[in-house]
Amino acid sequence: MASETGTMDMTTHQTIPPTWAALALVLLALCALPVRAADDPFADLNLAPLSLAAPPETVPGWLDNLLVRREIYLLGGGFREPGTEGERDGFSRLSLGFELQKRFASPTRTLASVNYQGRLVYRDRVPDMAADHMGREADRWKYETHNAYADFYNLIGAPGRLNLRTGYFYQPFGLNQQTDTHGTILQLLNDTVFGAERDWQATIYGNLDEHFDYTFGYLAGSGPEHELKGQAGLVVARLALNNQWLFEHGLEGGISFAAGERVDRHAVMRSHSVHHATGGGPVVGGWRLGADLRRRFDTAGGPLTLTVETAAGEDENDALYAALGQADWLHPGRRWGAALQYRHFQQDVGAGGRDYNETGASAVITHYFQNDVGNAALHWLALAVERRLRHTGEPEHTVLILQYYRYW
């Protein structure tokens, strides 16, 4: 319609007769001449002068740009460990949560934003499983903070060049920070590699150039219990493909590096050499180098996404390596999905000890009642099987999981 209207206007303009144009000029000239009060029918009216002052700007209220969301997470199932003569045990993990998001903006740009997300969790007999990495050691009742951070945008240079994030959030190592897994059964590598997937941090991030984004900063290394035990913290850096690669080619990926000290009690327990180096204390020094890639294939049967993550490094003098492969499929109608995951972690615990090894696989089938593209509203029922293929010092076991999740 816009193009048709534009054509009609142009045609009308071209067909105005010269006589009418001349008459219009004469009328404008007459209007410019002085007019006597007696000839002016509006001379007796008092007209208020027009104000040239700009109207006052409306001050934004606290509730403007404030989003409040709710979360229900119900997970239960059963497991059986070999050597128990077929004995099965049930477990549950139930939680209610919320999220607050507030954006601070001027009429022309966003200045900052804050986010807080937490939930009250009840756990009962949760086994050692990748779906809830710290569940086995957690208290029965626990309040968990998932996000508590502030972003400050466009501090220096061109828009998107330099931003600051400070607070508690996903570690910017691997695909962790750009993948929201707080509601999903399948998790990425960082819980195993660092002993936690979130940390208190201060990082700068932005566009390095037209192809790459960067992140650089400091992590407190406080572990899942937010502990300060004298650790020096971690320096972290990541170079990643920017969103243009995702939008045009379905690609995400990058390389990451972290070095320093963190609180990780599990790392001390799994290696006698680390235990000796730290004197039994929870502070572990080390470094990590990681590489990751995720590729989405848009097929006639729905999007298929393949993910690979790897990390290598050291805890004290122990060399370690971790890898994860995952395949996700989503039906074109976004009502059904399926995923497979394989994960592996190994650590050389030094002379006189046996290498530590964790290997497992998971399969998930999900029915979505609501599956918003931007993850603003999620509602699903999932059935999963997790198999521990190998675990040093622990027997193999299989876990059957049923999950109900809603975020809105």
Side-chain angles (χ1 to χ4, degrees), residues 11-12 33 38 123 125 148 168 220 235 245 280 304 331 366 397:
T11 304
T12 304
L33 295 176
R123 291 180 173 91
R125 298 190 299 273
Y168 186 70
V235 175
W245 289 87
L304 175 65
H331 187 271
T366 306
H397 70 193

Side-chain angles (χ1 to χ4, degrees), residues 101-139:
Q101 296 173 303
K102 169 67 177 177
R103 182 168 58 90
F104 300 91
S106 72
T108 57
R109 67 190 182 101
T110 300
L111 304 173
S113 66
V114 296
N115 182 286
Y116 182 86
Q117 185 175 15
R119 59 188 176 195
L120 180 64
V121 185
Y122 171 80
R123 291 180 173 91
D124 183 31
R125 298 190 299 273
V126 174
D128 184 12
M129 61 180 185
D132 191 358
H133 189 74
M134 302 302 296
R136 190 174 187 177
E137 301 171 2
D139 296 332

Side-chain angles (χ1 to χ4, degrees), residues 194-256:
F194 293 101
E197 63 177 4
R198 290 170 170 82
D199 205 349
W200 293 97
Q201 61 185 271
T203 56
I204 57 173
Y205 65 95
N207 310 125
L208 185 64
D209 59 22
E210 61 181 359
H211 297 295
F212 297 100
D213 292 340
Y214 73 91
T215 303
F216 179 80
Y218 168 80
L219 309 181
S222 57
E225 300 300 328
H226 315 282
E227 296 177 289
L228 296 177
K229 297 293 184 179
Q231 72 271 21
L234 299 163
V235 175
V236 64
R238 176 168 171 80
L239 181 67
L241 300 174
N242 65 16
N243 285 336
Q244 179 181 345
W245 289 87
L246 175 61
F247 299 148
E248 296 182 2
H249 308 288
L251 276 174
E252 297 174 273
I255 54 175
S256 308

Side-chain angles (χ1 to χ4, degrees), residues 9 15 42 47 73 91 114 132 177 203-204 216 261 277 301 354:
D9 293 343
T15 57
F42 306 106
L47 301 178
Y73 186 117
F91 68 91
V114 296
D132 191 358
Q177 195 173 80
T203 56
I204 57 173
F216 179 80
E261 293 180 340
R354 185 174 57 169

Side-chain angles (χ1 to χ4, degrees), residues 287-307:
W287 60 271
R288 302 287 188 272
L289 178 64
D292 53 84
L293 184 66
R294 181 156 53 203
R295 176 74 159 89
R296 187 192 69 240
F297 300 89
D298 295 319
T299 71
L304 175 65
T305 304
L306 303 180
T307 301

Side-chain angles (χ1 to χ4, degrees), residues 390-401:
R390 185 180 177 188
H391 193 300
T392 301
E394 297 285 343
E396 299 177 358
H397 70 193
T398 301
V399 182
L400 181 65
I401 302 169

